[in-house]
Amino acid sequence: MKKYDTPLLDELEKGPFPSFVKEIKKAAAKNEMANDELGQLEYSFKTNRGYWKHGGIVGVLGYGGGVIGRYSDLPDMFPEVKFFHTVRINQPSGWFYTTKALRELMDLCDTYGSGITNMHGSTGDLVFLGARTEDLEPLFAELTSRGWDLGGSGSALRTPSCCVGPARCEWANYDTLEACYQITQEFQDELHRPAFNYKYKIKFAGCAVDCVASIARADCSVIGTWKGPILIDQDAVRWHEKKGMDINREVVDMCPTQCISYDGKELKINNDECNRCMHCITRLHKALKPSGERGATICIGSKAPIVVGSLLSWVIVPFMKMEPPYTEFKELTRKMWDWWDENSHPRERIGEVIEMKGMRSFLEAIGVPPFPQQIKEPRKDPFFFFTEGDIERFKKREEEEKKTGKFIF
Amino acid sequence: MEKITAEKAKEIRRTDVGPPHYGQFLPPVIKKNYGRWKEHEILSPGVMVHTAESGDKIWSVRVATPRLIATDTVREVCDISDKYCGGYVRWTSRNNIEFLVSDEKNLEPIQKELKEKGYMIGGIGPRISNMVHTQGWVHCHGAATDASGLVKAVMDELADYFTTKELPNKLRLALACCVNMCGAVHCSDIAIVAVHTKVPPIDHAKLGKICEIPTVIASCPTKAISPDPATKSVKLKEERCMYCGNCFTVCPAIDIKDPYRDGIAIVVGGKVNSLRSNPKFSKLVIPYMSNEPPRWPKVVAAVKHIVDVYAKNARKHERVGEWADRIGWEKFFKLTGIEFTFQAIDDFTFMRDTLRTASTFKW
Amino acid sequence: MEKEELKEKIYAFVLAAKGKKKVKPRDIEKGVSAETGAGIDEIKQAMKEMIDVGKLMYSYTGGASSVEIPSEEYLREKGLIK
């Protein structure tokens, strides 16, 4: 095996944080592909640019995603990475593993890949970094026969992901792991066979802390919430105070809706005014907990800046029960996809299309009425549309008012 | 392990099996107390304990990883999990590993062994957790910088904030190696974003052959690209181009990468949770620094500087963006001493939301 | 319509678009349905069967996924031609 001098990368073996260079070298010691990856990366560091090409038609028979074609721009210098495709493997909900399963996957990565992984890719998949074209089919057969499958790529449903949820968190308002699993299973066709105009991501967060950043990077953000009052354990409030917390300064004064008070003896919450931001619950984590009906707020549209600016997801359905078999969520998703497909061009995300076509068009198509919870404030400009039906409805109501003598606004 | 033959592959391959059910990967104490956790406590920067209604407990020991890890490292993680965690382990959404300890007597020994093996324990509570980042020169076609290298350099500098030191609140760092921003970079407390800064040259002969001209034209958000029948390629109106690289993504004959001009910008003040204030985007404060591998000293110093000013000035529980909003961005620039540039003023319709419309500001 | 005949229509549709326009599954479903009167689900199933045996293939160029006539290189790699 060729031995590369890597004086620049060697600098990144120093220091306290774990070193990816050590990792590549570990793999390179026994894998030709990893070795050439190391060589090419040093060359990138030397010349200040990347040398990968992407795209193409690699994949497994029948699927349109899961493998991303990657080729070296310098195949003569680094022949072992001439083909160095990314293989995305759909991770288990919450990224829980047994060591038995992991060892099996690592053996596959060594046999068919470069011995380098990403644990995990940004969307959540377990990634084998670097595989040759001819190894894709056998690797796929080995994976699927063991109960694993590829993740999404291209213009398709991307691999859904979720927070740790009820597996190890007291704040989960619905079962994020089960929802993620069942929705992924329901939409296998949409995940593996790209039929959309662009990518569509779904992320499941159990509460407003949003540990999977769903509000910022999922076309569909499913964020857990509740309807009942926050329950208070007054003894535990005092435990927090004894531990050094200044309850008034750190909790009461920081409540965005000013609905908490504390007189040194009793903490009170005016639940009618609470907007469930979770600040008090996360600070007084031993003392406070949500109660009552649980479910999720469904938000749509977030994406990174490419192309016309980043978006955060917008509230569409303020409250939905998220319980198996998730019929309401599945039906809503299908309706949204239909509208998106009818109204978009290639490479347009659903949020961008809502912006172009208008929220009304979207809400009417998916059968969701307007709620004040969907907005921060009503529009300020005087340019709004009326349909014939709108005017008819307003006129009809006024006729009623004339009969009853009572105004309805 | 030997490779299987093509025939064997055809015989055993299945499709649409989806991911395995997570249930088989949960430690027994989690299975037993699933959905019935009562409370948790952070015992140290890298250890927390969750207590169930039943009284059962589970300890999580968190360690950092560079995300890119060799199979042998995963095997080492497996060995440790077998020894102390009954063979169960999980990864977090920020590429940390959590060792799930069900038996308290394993808590000290596992930390001892992790430290001996060089693992960095921490990242829990009001600290800096692992950086979310992209592929960079390791594997991406469009990268304007390396990702893993810059992350390593930044995290080496800030390692104390992972392992011990506290901040007013948690601080989320992220890095994107181009403006595509794979990952939630655009809503981080401090994010490093690599930028292209130059109108890309076009290889006309190549473009006509390998790219679909209507797709290339449609890819441009500022309508800078138009067809050019003379060259059977496209024309680029230079003054309209803002170097997003979207055209390069759809057509490799337009080469956006430039070793001299590609550089680094810093955006700050984003968050994804709804605690206290709504989720926020990160905002541009430093538009350009040169790409200086292998350790990017200026970029690292800039991030460290912003962290230090935040740590000194923010109130307890304030995230970077909440602090900047409270004191005002003019004060942010004053306190940090960062030069305010034209690049930080919004363009197009975005400016309607971000320009100041009152005379109430700080000197 | 017989499934084999439908498959021929689908193939002809993709072939006609070759080099002119990238077509995605929904374009094919709509186009072939308008031409033949066959149902969307029926076309979808036929197309899936064609992709499964390498009669058609998915491509990812130009930053979006599409369905195309397989290249020789693809067929050789899948062991479908020598």
Side-chain angles (χ1 to χ4, degrees):
Chain A
M1 206 183 311
K2 195 170 168 185
K3 173 91 175 81
Y4 293 101
D5 276 335
T6 55
L8 295 172
L9 290 176
D10 294 350
E11 287 299 312
L12 291 167
E13 290 191 68
K14 300 168 186 167
F17 192 74
S19 166
F20 74 104
V21 175
K22 282 186 188 165
E23 297 298 317
I24 299 177
K25 286 190 175 176
K26 213 188 254 190
K30 51 185 201 184
N31 186 299
E32 298 264 9
M33 294 167 84
N35 192 45
D36 273 12
E37 158 75 37
L38 182 73
Q40 182 171 314
L41 187 61
E42 176 73 14
Y43 191 70
S44 278
F45 270 63
K46 207 165 111 187
T47 56
N48 239 354
R49 66 169 288 161
Y51 295 96
W52 297 103
K53 292 187 290 190
H54 80 305
I57 50 164
V58 292
V60 300
L61 199 60
Y63 281 13
V67 181
I68 299 99
R70 194 72 61 186
Y71 312 84
S72 172
D73 238 342
L74 306 168
D76 296 335
M77 286 168 75
F78 308 105
E80 298 295 331
V81 289
K82 184 175 178 184
F83 306 99
F84 200 67
H85 311 312
T86 311
V87 181
R88 291 183 181 159
I89 299 160
N90 195 327
Q91 82 287 359
S93 286
W95 299 285
F96 282 94
Y97 296 96
T98 54
T99 52
K100 181 174 173 286
L102 273 179
R103 286 178 205 278
E104 228 171 55
L105 288 170
M106 293 308 114
D107 288 348
L108 292 175
C109 184
D110 280 337
T111 308
Y112 298 98
S114 69
I116 302 173
T117 72
N118 275 169
M119 304 280 284
H120 296 82
S122 288
T123 301
D125 298 283
L126 193 165
V127 173
F128 286 1
L129 211 62
R132 294 191 181 94
T133 313
E134 70 267 23
D135 286 331
L136 296 174
E137 284 294 338
L139 172 58
F140 177 70
E142 296 259 34
L143 285 168
T144 52
S145 64
R146 287 173 163 80
W148 296 90
D149 206 337
L150 297 183
S153 69
S155 309
L157 172 65
R158 298 301 183 84
T159 312
S161 73
C162 65
C163 68
V164 71
R168 202 211 49 203
C169 182
E170 64 270 35
W171 298 329
N173 285 293
Y174 70 100
D175 189 342
T176 52
L177 289 85
E178 186 63 16
C180 185
Y181 175 77
Q182 289 211 21
I183 297 305
T184 308
Q185 290 292 352
E186 173 78 11
F187 296 123
Q188 282 291 295
D189 194 47
E190 287 79 1
L191 199 152
H192 299 305
R193 298 176 188 83
F196 301 153
N197 268 321
Y198 207 15
K199 62 184 92 169
Y200 188 92
K201 299 184 178 185
I202 308 177
K203 293 194 190 296
F204 299 92
C207 78
V209 176
D210 201 353
C211 289
V212 280
S214 73
I215 197 78
R217 56 184 192 139
D219 299 270
C220 178
S221 324
V222 186
I223 302 173
T225 195
W226 73 94
K227 284 191 163 174
I230 295 173
L231 304 181
I232 308 171
D233 177 344
Q234 300 291 350
D235 288 340
V237 173
R238 285 185 287 274
W239 179 89
H240 282 285
E241 195 169 33
K242 266 193 208 121
K243 281 258 171 181
M245 185 182 285
D246 181 339
I247 308 265
N248 272 304
R249 193 176 158 85
E250 294 182 45
V251 180
V252 175
D253 294 350
M254 294 191 104
C255 169
T257 61
Q258 305 283 292
C259 70
I260 313 179
S261 63
Y262 183 61
D263 58 6
K265 290 189 210 88
E266 196 186 358
L267 187 90
K268 284 185 192 154
I269 299 177
N270 179 356
N271 284 288
D272 256 4
E273 293 301 318
C274 171
N275 68 3
R276 294 160 290 106
C277 86
M278 302 251 332
H279 172 73
C280 60
I281 292 173
T282 60
R283 295 309 105 187
L284 298 169
H285 52 87
K286 274 183 185 280
L288 306 182
K289 62 175 178 189
S291 75
E293 204 182 351
R294 308 300 177 95
T297 301
I298 314 292
C299 308
I300 297 294
S302 72
K303 56 179 277 293
I306 291 284
V307 182
V308 277
S310 37
L311 299 173
L312 288 163
S313 286
W314 301 301
V315 171
I316 299 296
V317 181
F319 189 82
M320 185 186 277
K321 291 294 260 185
M322 284 298 288
E323 283 165 5
Y326 307 101
T327 311
E328 197 183 349
F329 182 80
K330 289 173 186 169
E331 281 172 3
L332 180 76
T333 300
R334 287 205 169 87
K335 277 188 235 165
M336 293 194 292
W337 286 344
D338 282 343
W339 178 86
W340 176 35
D341 197 75
E342 284 299 320
N343 291 285
S344 61
H345 299 105
R347 285 176 66 78
E348 286 174 356
R349 298 280 285 268
I350 193 166
E352 295 170 315
V353 180
I354 294 172
E355 246 185 348
M356 282 184 283
K357 299 285 169 183
M359 188 55 91
R360 178 173 185 166
S361 158
F362 176 64
L363 292 178
E364 283 186 335
I366 61 172
V368 173
F371 296 107
Q373 284 82 2
Q374 291 158 340
I375 58 164
K376 280 190 278 203
E377 57 184 35
R379 77 162 68 225
K380 51 188 172 285
D381 68 75
F383 313 119
F384 36 88
F385 293 106
F386 288 104
T387 64
E388 285 306 312
D390 289 339
I391 299 295
E392 215 171 274
R393 201 170 59 84
F394 288 124
K395 294 281 185 198
K396 209 169 199 171
R397 207 164 63 186
E398 283 170 1
E399 275 168 32
E400 286 293 308
E401 288 168 0
K402 292 213 167 82
K403 276 185 218 154
T404 59
K406 210 174 157 194
F407 292 130
I408 310 162
F409 300 108
Chain B
M1 186 185 245
E2 292 294 313
K3 284 185 189 177
I4 55 168
T5 62
E7 287 68 37
K8 178 76 177 168
K10 267 189 196 142
E11 183 197 320
I12 64 170
R13 95 197 283 275
R14 295 157 68 198
T15 67
D16 303 86
V17 294
H21 193 265
Y22 58 91
Q24 60 192 286
F25 302 131
L26 300 177
V29 63
I30 284 186
K31 267 200 158 157
K32 185 183 158 202
N33 297 286
Y34 194 89
R36 290 193 295 276
W37 295 99
K38 187 167 161 263
E39 59 181 31
H40 76 278
E41 210 183 320
I42 298 170
L43 302 175
S44 69
V47 182
M48 57 182 166
V49 60
H50 284 77
T51 307
E53 286 160 8
S54 68
D56 290 347
K57 288 178 192 291
I58 188 160
W59 290 265
S60 305
V61 180
R62 189 181 287 179
V63 303
T65 82
R67 183 176 85 141
L68 182 161
I69 48 180
T71 47
D72 279 347
T73 300
V74 177
R75 290 189 183 99
E76 187 180 87
V77 167
C78 289
D79 290 342
I80 298 168
S81 305
D82 284 342
K83 202 164 157 191
Y84 302 106
C85 309
Y88 298 92
V89 62
R90 81 172 285 262
W91 263 256
T92 72
S93 56
R94 299 190 75 86
N95 313 318
N96 296 303
I97 297 172
E98 281 178 350
F99 293 95
L100 304 165
V101 180
S102 318
D103 188 345
E104 194 173 7
K105 73 174 195 298
N106 283 329
L107 196 55
E108 284 313 313
I110 190 175
Q111 290 182 76
K112 189 163 169 275
E113 181 163 346
L114 286 168
K115 278 180 198 152
E116 279 166 11
K117 290 201 155 79
Y119 289 86
M120 222 168 96
I121 303 174
I124 302 176
R127 295 187 175 80
I128 293 177
S129 184
N130 206 345
M131 265 174 98
V132 164
H133 65 95
T134 55
Q135 294 288 20
W137 292 333
V138 165
H139 210 217
C140 182
H141 64 286
T145 190
D146 186 45
S148 308
L150 191 36
V151 164
K152 163 77 175 140
V154 170
M155 286 305 289
D156 276 344
E157 181 68 31
L158 297 170
D160 287 350
Y161 286 109
F162 186 92
T163 54
T164 45
K165 281 165 95 173
E166 279 197 20
L167 288 163
N169 198 337
K170 56 184 168 188
L171 194 144
R172 295 292 176 246
L173 296 172
L175 178 142
C177 56
C178 83
V179 294
N180 255 302
M181 295 195 192
C182 314
V185 170
H186 56 300
C187 294
S188 304
D189 290 283
I190 304 176
I192 298 166
V193 183
V195 289
H196 301 293
T197 65
K198 201 170 168 231
V199 178
I202 302 170
D203 183 339
H204 293 293
K206 196 171 156 193
L207 191 143
K209 267 186 235 137
I210 62 169
C211 306
E212 211 180 50
I213 289 175
T215 310
V216 180
I217 293 167
S219 74
C220 181
T222 59
K223 299 190 167 56
I225 302 175
S226 56
D228 185 4
T231 55
K232 288 189 176 149
S233 174
V234 296
K235 283 188 286 205
L236 212 164
K237 207 172 229 172
E238 298 206 350
E239 66 275 19
R240 282 198 175 177
C241 172
M242 40 64 157
Y243 340 110
C244 74
N246 202 41
C247 55
F248 166 73
T249 294
V250 306
C251 175
I254 303 176
D255 189 5
I256 191 78
K257 287 180 278 196
D258 185 307
Y260 177 70
R261 291 279 298 258
D262 288 349
I264 307 290
I266 292 196
V267 295
V268 310
K271 75 197 245 307
V272 295
N273 71 36
S274 297
L275 272 55
R276 303 167 301 281
S277 58
N278 289 338
K280 300 175 198 300
F281 290 118
S282 314
K283 287 103 181 161
L284 181 69
V285 293
I286 301 181
Y288 187 82
M289 284 179 278
S290 287
N291 230 344
E292 291 178 312
R295 295 205 70 106
W296 291 266
K298 188 173 175 186
V299 180
V300 171
V303 173
K304 174 74 166 41
H305 176 61
I306 296 168
V307 171
D308 287 344
V309 178
Y310 159 71
K312 193 170 159 232
N313 291 282
R315 289 180 186 162
K316 197 170 183 186
H317 305 310
E318 267 180 345
R319 295 282 292 266
V320 173
E322 293 171 307
W323 163 61
D325 280 349
R326 176 174 59 79
I327 63 171
W329 284 90
E330 71 279 25
K331 191 73 184 281
F332 174 90
F333 281 96
K334 189 175 179 179
L335 285 174
T336 55
I338 294 171
E339 180 198 17
F340 188 75
T341 55
F342 281 122
Q343 279 83 7
I345 301 177
D346 250 324
D347 298 312
F348 306 114
T349 52
F350 298 124
M351 67 192 267
R352 293 182 177 187
D353 292 331
T354 58
L355 293 189
R356 192 185 297 275
T357 54
S359 60
T360 47
F361 48 79
K362 296 177 185 172
W363 299 114
Chain C
M1 184 182 285
E2 287 298 312
K3 199 179 240 176
E4 286 315 306
E5 197 186 340
L6 183 60
K7 285 181 181 174
E8 279 168 30
K9 295 276 184 197
I10 293 171
Y11 189 84
F13 186 90
V14 179
L15 190 64
K18 192 180 175 181
K20 294 190 195 97
K21 188 181 181 294
K22 295 218 175 300
V23 286
K24 61 189 185 77
R26 201 68 76 107
D27 300 329
I28 300 168
E29 288 156 24
K30 277 188 200 159
V32 174
S33 178
E35 195 185 312
T36 64
I40 297 288
D41 287 341
E42 198 184 339
I43 299 167
K44 199 172 176 175
Q45 182 56 34
M47 188 164 57
K48 180 175 179 293
E49 287 175 20
M50 293 169 77
I51 293 167
D52 281 346
V53 297
K55 191 84 183 137
L56 294 174
M57 67 164 191
Y58 286 109
S59 169
Y60 187 70
T61 48
S65 307
S66 57
V67 173
E68 290 178 13
I69 306 291
S71 62
E72 262 188 44
E73 183 194 0
Y74 177 83
L75 295 174
R76 199 168 295 121
E77 182 246 314
K78 296 295 168 209
L80 298 166
I81 56 169
K82 285 259 151 58

